[in-house]
Amino acid sequence: MKKIVVLLLISLLLIGCNGKNSSKGIEKETSDSKKYTIGIIKYVDHISLDAAENGFIEELKKNDVDVEIIEKSANGDMSLTTTLAQEMLSKKVDLIYAIATPAAQATKNVVRDIPVVFSAVTDPVGAGIVNSIESPDANITGVSDYVDPKMQIEEFLKIYPNIKTFGVIYNTSEQNSQVQVEKLESALKEKNIFLVKVGINTVNDIPASIAFMSNNIDALFAITDNTVASAVPILSEQLLKNNIPSLSSEEGQVKNGLLMSEGINYESHGAQAARIAIRILSGEDIKNIPVEYNEINHKVVNEKTAKTLKLDLNNEIFKDAQIIK
């Protein structure tokens, strides 16, 4: 009888232990198997914004975030950004990643209850996306891609010290571009350098813009303008025909033919936005997350363009640069 009692007690203990282990296993499985749906709204497809998207997705993978991505591009159509934001709302995604100012503006205006993280936005306050850098609106924050042009200009002048006039092409409809042109003009005035500004509406305006400027500028400064970025191969070709060097705010345009940049790497920029998204998905209140500025700038030089312009890549100024083949 005693043996039977002992065996019963052991059995009960084993069942109890297995039950606890089983319960813990279910809890762990539930925690680890949480899958999120993230909607990505990209204003237009070009090398820089594509990199911001890829960097975001790769950073999520790197951190083992189980996620379904719904990606939509407005193809440069500002009116379509609102439709895409409404579509994401109807799909009840867990978070929206808005790439570029028009996408972030539209999402901010449509979405109220879903967290929104943006990137590739130069002036989120001026664009009406957030109330302030330190205290954004209730459901939106992100990463600004503003880069102070002063340092880039100083580096460029070490190669071309006799430059008296820069040119800039920008889309007059993009608020982020207008802000950059103002900052650029102010920085150049400090150096007694004149800025020739040409506003455009579409990519088709770029060849005529270069033809107009070619006899009036010593160099071109390419800001992070989505319309210009979409046509950089055309822009680069026209500049080289006229032997005009170029400086860009971000490296994607250098990969597509402009001379050099010490600015945004949009792959890293997107990864930075993803780290904010992960904090939100992990339960951190978006109201407590201020807007961040881009963390990493890269110096890059296009080898083919440099050789066409007869520059010596052994120059000290290129010592720490990544040479784009």
Side-chain angles (χ1 to χ4, degrees), residues 108-166:
K108 158 44 185 321
N109 292 334
V110 171
V111 178
R112 295 285 184 270
D113 300 321
I114 297 171
V116 179
V117 175
F118 61 77
S119 74
V121 173
T122 303
D123 181 16
V125 177
I129 297 167
V130 297
N131 288 329
S132 72
I133 298 298
E134 298 77 16
S135 300
D137 286 337
N139 71 318
I140 188 163
T141 189
V143 187
S144 166
D145 63 357
Y146 174 70
V147 174
D148 190 335
K150 290 182 181 179
M151 181 182 68
Q152 293 212 80
I153 292 166
E154 287 174 2
E155 290 291 293
F156 196 74
L157 291 176
K158 291 176 183 176
I159 309 169
Y160 294 101
N162 299 319
I163 283 179
K164 301 298 181 187
T165 305
F166 263 100

Side-chain angles (χ1 to χ4, degrees), residues 46-49 51 145 152 168-169 177 180 220-237 239 246-261 264-266 300-302 305 324:
H46 62 65
I47 188 169
S48 303
L49 300 193
D145 63 357
Q152 293 212 80
V168 66
I169 302 172
S177 297
Q180 290 179 81
L220 183 126
F221 194 111
I223 59 175
T224 57
D225 179 284
N226 289 297
T227 305
V228 173
S230 299
V232 166
I234 299 170
L235 178 62
S236 172
E237 182 182 352
L239 288 170
S246 51
L247 177 62
S248 175
S249 293
E250 54 94 6
E251 72 172 49
Q253 297 179 9
V254 177
K255 289 179 178 178
N256 271 349
L258 297 190
L259 174 60
M260 65 179 290
S261 171
I264 304 290
N265 173 296
Y266 276 101
V300 293
V301 178
N302 186 296
T305 302
I324 306 294

Side-chain angles (χ1 to χ4, degrees), residues 77-90:
D77 183 347
M78 289 194 186
S79 63
L80 186 56
T81 55
T82 298
T83 303
L84 295 181
Q86 290 168 337
E87 185 178 336
M88 295 300 180
L89 193 59
S90 68

